[in-house]
Amino acid sequence: MTIDENLLVLLLALLLDRIVGDPDWLWSRLPHPVVLFGKAISNFDRQFNSETLTKAERRLNGTVSITVLLAFSAVAGLVLHWFFGLFGFVGILLEVACVAIFLAQKSLADHVSAVAGALRGEGIVGGRKAVSRIVGRDPQTLDEPGICRAAIESLAENFSDGVVAPALWYVVLGLPGLFIYKMLNTADSMIGHKSDKYIDFGWASARLDDLANWPAARLAILLIAAGAWLRRGARASREAFQVAIRDGGLHRSPNSGRPEAAMAGALDVQLAGPRVYSGIVVSEPMINGAGRGTATVKDVEDGIAVFNASCMILAIAVFLAFIALL
């Protein structure tokens, strides 16, 4: 498919994902493709990441493993695209549905909305339970402002790697690019962290994921700033952009800090700072230190409004690009 055809499929997929999301009735009966990716990664982990290996051997095994997994993903994307092409217009609709499966607009908004709803209806206990579904930090260490910050950070970060990045790689490389990105992103979340077990085996996955997310994280700044302009006015839009440029590099990740800083500026709230993961304190500076120090449920809800507007602007940008290429 050409880029203009990819843009059309992506536009329809974005609309479908905003309406349908990830229906429980479907994925309770079938394994989600990302779950299958995870099983493949786990299999390589079990076979090639033994504690008896040296650090150099683990790094080599991890590099070869992710290379094989990405090659498999590319071939799967090519084969599936060829298969869809056998069915003409129906095949296009099948590809639209396939792309929508790998986008996270509605599901992300729903999960973050659940945190706000739980805090309003059940208090801090319900909020901790809801936020534990979307973040890796220890929920019992979070007070209500901490829960709100965690939800907003997850919303911003996942806008970049759950919406913008898969959309971008699909436009550039079609289904092979989308599958490669999702395999890589899944591998990074599973084996890309700096624990003793994975610092070497997951090294290549983490570095490649950083490269794959670099353009999307910067594009996400512009989209969040545009979404802030629609929902909160010109001042919020300026702050989103300025804080992202100033504070985006304060995060330990070369990419995650960019959309988080943009959202912090849009909402005028501090994000990041010290956090606890599996009993270990991760100390980082506050993003948007001049913003309000106490995040609230309303900030979470305002963040969702900015997120939804940013998704809408992404769809409009895809539509305009498609018209321009025509």
Side-chain angles (χ1 to χ4, degrees):
M1 293 176 74
T2 60
I3 288 182
D4 58 332
E5 292 172 327
N6 287 352
L7 285 167
L8 177 59
V9 169
L10 175 61
L11 176 62
L12 296 175
L14 287 167
L15 296 175
L16 179 62
D17 179 57
R18 281 296 294 271
I19 296 169
V20 178
D22 288 328
D24 291 336
W25 62 264
L26 177 61
W27 303 123
S28 62
R29 293 168 172 79
L30 295 174
H32 194 285
V34 172
V35 173
L36 299 178
F37 289 176
K39 289 182 177 180
I41 295 162
S42 295
N43 186 51
F44 275 81
D45 181 20
R46 285 192 301 271
Q47 294 191 50
F48 302 110
N49 191 25
S50 170
E51 293 181 358
T52 61
L53 299 174
T54 66
K55 293 172 69 67
E57 288 171 333
R58 285 188 179 189
R59 179 169 291 198
L60 176 60
N61 285 359
T63 302
V64 173
S65 294
I66 192 60
T67 300
V68 172
L69 287 166
L70 296 183
F72 171 79
S73 301
V75 171
L78 286 169
V79 170
L80 200 57
H81 175 67
W82 168 81
F83 177 74
F84 290 156
L86 299 176
F87 299 95
F89 178 72
V90 173
I92 294 174
L93 296 181
L94 290 172
E95 183 148 335
V96 168
C98 181
V99 174
I101 287 170
F102 291 97
L103 299 171
Q105 297 169 105
K106 186 177 185 298
S107 62
L108 180 55
D110 288 347
H111 279 98
V112 177
S113 295
V115 176
L119 282 171
R120 290 198 182 278
E122 306 170 44
I124 192 169
V125 174
R128 285 172 174 168
K129 182 177 180 181
V131 83
S132 69
R133 300 187 182 103
I134 59 173
V135 300
R137 65 197 69 178
D138 294 345
Q140 298 306 314
T141 66
L142 299 175
D143 55 10
E144 183 167 324
I147 292 169
C148 293
R149 283 198 305 274
I152 294 167
E153 290 164 17
S154 179
L155 180 70
E157 179 182 353
N158 284 290
F159 172 61
S160 177
D161 61 22
V163 179
V164 181
L168 180 62
W169 286 110
Y170 177 75
V171 168
V172 175
L173 295 174
L175 281 184
L178 177 61
F179 283 19
I180 287 172
Y181 173 76
K182 292 304 294 186
M183 177 65 82
L184 185 57
N185 192 241
T186 305
D188 179 63
S189 67
M190 293 178 64
I191 63 173
H193 36 90
K194 295 182 179 180
S195 64
D196 290 341
K197 182 176 182 180
Y198 292 121
I199 190 169
D200 295 303
F201 186 75
W203 174 82
S205 297
R207 299 291 78 75
L208 289 172
D209 185 72
D210 287 343
L211 288 173
N213 277 300
W214 195 96
R218 277 74 187 168
L219 178 57
I221 294 173
L222 301 178
L223 293 168
I224 290 172
W229 179 78
L230 278 182
R231 291 292 180 260
R232 297 177 61 80
R235 180 177 179 180
S237 179
R238 285 196 304 273
E239 285 296 309
F241 185 77
Q242 290 171 0
V243 173
I245 298 303
R246 186 188 70 219
D247 293 352
L250 297 179
H251 200 283
R252 69 187 186 280
S253 164
N255 296 312
S256 299
R258 269 64 187 186
E260 289 186 21
M263 189 65 79
L267 302 178
D268 185 31
V269 68
Q270 296 177 3
L271 295 179
R275 303 182 295 285
V276 181
Y277 295 88
S278 302
I280 300 173
V281 178
V282 176
S283 296
E284 289 184 0
M286 298 299 295
I287 290 175
N288 192 28
R292 288 179 293 107
T294 302
T296 66
V297 177
K298 186 177 185 305
D299 290 319
V300 177
E301 293 167 342
D302 288 345
I304 295 167
V306 171
F307 166 80
N308 285 331
S310 300
C311 290
M312 180 179 70
I313 290 168
L314 173 61
I316 292 172
V318 171
F319 173 73
L320 293 177
F322 172 70
I323 294 301
L325 285 177
L326 286 182

